[in-house]
Amino acid sequence: MPEQILMTSQAFFHSECLAELETRYEVQRLWEASDQEALISEVAPQIRVVVTEGWAPADFQAKFPNLELIASHGVGYDGVDLGAAQARKIAVTNTPGVLDDAVADLTIGLLIAVTRGMVVGDQYVRNGEWLKANFPLMSHLRGRQAGILGLGRIGLAIAQRLQAFGIEINYHNRRERSDVDYRYFSSLSMMAQDVDFLILSCVGGEETKKIVNRAIMEKIGPNGVLINISRGSVVDEGDLVACLEEGKLGGAGLDVFTTEPHVPEALFKMPQVVLQPHIGSATLQTRIAMGQLVVDNVDAYYAKKPLLTPVA
Ligand code: 8YV
């Protein structure tokens, strides 16, 4: 009898990876169950591994008395209650490393799209406005200052790309890194004061909740741009809308939102804002690599080998 795994959802997990998982394990597909609680009650005692997409709150974990591994798809694990997992010695894995390039590429795309007005420019051509007048001048990247909030793997991939554009790199982290010579700020607020572009690539969760608020956005200022590819929770979305409306913040490129897929409608009409439907890691190659890492972690667990990417 194959081992039973419970999988919570398949919004992002590539079907090839699910197929591979199903060659070795019996996957209980929670998202397809007409009565999810009934399925959980039926299989819970047999479940030692849960595969999720960044989601496993404490009350969910508590339903599985023999749970030993939460293999999460995605680098962010703010939706997994780590404290609850630790208390029961349940291991948690995520999928770091394999999505850095895709997310960093999108970050640069957002920055250029906002600073050069590319989405508006596209409409300008399609609507025939170019026949009447040239597009207004937009702003330059070279020589400008970027502040990266969270210089982890993704932040570093973003920094490398920004350097190619001649942008100066500043960063704010919990700790200063010894392996880079970018300018370090121990205070987010002081960094915001000094930069043209504030780029959010930090973790989500309680410790960063709404830390980018009106005070920070006003420091980035009317000519500044906020780019968020981390989690919507990091930004006070009400303050963001207000600052953009009032012209206190120049523009924004956003891939993540507080209550996805719901996005504040006030943003829809703003030409200085570029919106994306949380697609940072959404390339075929990246999603297959992420899914494969989940599969490899599950295999390692059953083979009693060290997990590949345990969350510290
Ligand atoms: C995915 C992400 O959209 O990795 C993350 O933390 O936000 C994205 O790559 C999703 O979480 C994949 O499960």
Side-chain angles (χ1 to χ4, degrees):
M1 281 284 281
E3 295 281 354
Q4 287 192 44
I5 288 174
L6 184 113
M7 188 162 161
T8 58
S9 60
Q10 198 204 359
F12 310 102
F13 196 76
H14 198 274
S15 50
E16 272 181 24
C17 304
L18 176 54
E20 193 188 332
L21 213 49
E22 289 187 320
T23 62
R24 294 193 274 290
Y25 310 102
E26 185 180 340
V27 178
Q28 298 292 348
R29 300 173 169 213
L30 186 62
W31 72 98
E32 285 179 357
S34 53
D35 185 343
Q36 298 197 343
E37 287 309 320
L39 174 65
I40 291 174
S41 317
E42 186 193 324
V43 301
Q46 291 89 262
I47 297 296
R48 288 192 287 152
V49 173
V50 163
V51 171
T52 83
E53 298 177 305
W55 178 89
D59 59 342
F60 173 76
Q61 296 178 29
K63 293 176 184 180
F64 302 91
N66 300 312
L67 187 58
E68 291 185 352
L69 171 67
I70 298 169
S72 183
H73 181 270
V75 67
Y77 46 82
D78 42 298
V80 177
D81 192 322
L82 283 188
Q86 266 158 10
R88 284 178 54 205
K89 297 200 167 41
I90 299 167
V92 177
T93 57
N94 65 338
T95 60
V98 293
L99 43 65
D100 307 345
D101 286 331
V103 178
D105 290 350
L106 188 83
T107 308
I108 301 302
L110 280 170
L111 182 63
I112 298 179
V114 175
T115 54
R116 299 298 295 273
M118 284 180 71
V119 174
V120 184
D122 178 273
Q123 294 302 316
Y124 198 80
V125 176
R126 291 175 199 247
N127 297 339
E129 288 171 68
W130 190 22
L131 300 170
K132 298 177 237 155
N134 280 335
F135 195 65
L137 299 180
M138 303 298 289
S139 68
H140 205 59
L141 293 182
R142 181 164 295 277
R144 312 283 299 278
Q145 298 283 337
I148 299 178
L149 173 59
L151 195 69
R153 287 189 188 85
I154 294 174
L156 282 174
I158 295 168
Q160 285 165 359
R161 285 159 176 75
L162 292 174
Q163 278 191 300
F165 288 92
I167 296 171
E168 303 292 328
I169 316 291
N170 307 271
Y171 72 103
H172 169 65
N173 253 4
R174 272 165 292 197
R175 274 180 299 281
E176 185 168 4
R177 295 186 66 123
S178 56
D179 56 347
V180 294
D181 53 14
Y182 306 136
R183 184 157 63 130
Y184 174 69
F185 281 86
S186 57
S187 141
L188 168 62
S189 166
M190 283 169 72
M191 181 170 81
Q193 184 69 55
D194 266 27
V195 300
D196 304 295
F197 314 132
L198 181 66
I199 298 175
L200 312 184
S201 53
C202 56
V203 297
E206 281 307 313
E207 62 180 306
T208 56
K209 196 169 178 186
K210 295 190 181 185
I211 58 172
V212 177
N213 53 20
R214 174 179 279 276
I216 298 294
M217 290 182 245
E218 288 187 355
K219 289 197 162 101
I220 310 169
N223 298 314
V225 173
L226 176 71
I227 303 288
N228 190 7
I229 51 83
S230 67
R231 285 289 180 264
S233 58
V234 180
V235 174
D236 185 317
E237 227 163 51
D239 284 1
L240 173 66
V241 169
C243 287
L244 287 162
E245 271 169 350
E246 294 161 20
K248 300 257 169 69
L249 173 68
L254 309 168
D255 185 44
V256 288
F257 304 89
T258 309
T259 45
E260 296 171 10
H262 301 283
V263 175
E265 281 190 28
L267 297 173
F268 295 173
K269 291 199 170 63
M270 296 185 188
Q272 73 276 42
V273 174
V274 175
L275 306 170
Q276 294 297 314
H278 197 152
I279 55 161
S281 69
T283 68
L284 179 62
Q285 296 84 347
T286 299
R287 284 289 168 78
I288 288 178
M290 290 165 71
Q292 189 61 50
L293 195 44
V294 173
V295 174
D296 292 347
N297 273 306
V298 171
D299 284 346
Y301 163 80
Y302 282 114
K304 298 193 172 16
K305 290 187 180 155
L307 297 168
L308 280 85
T309 48
V311 170

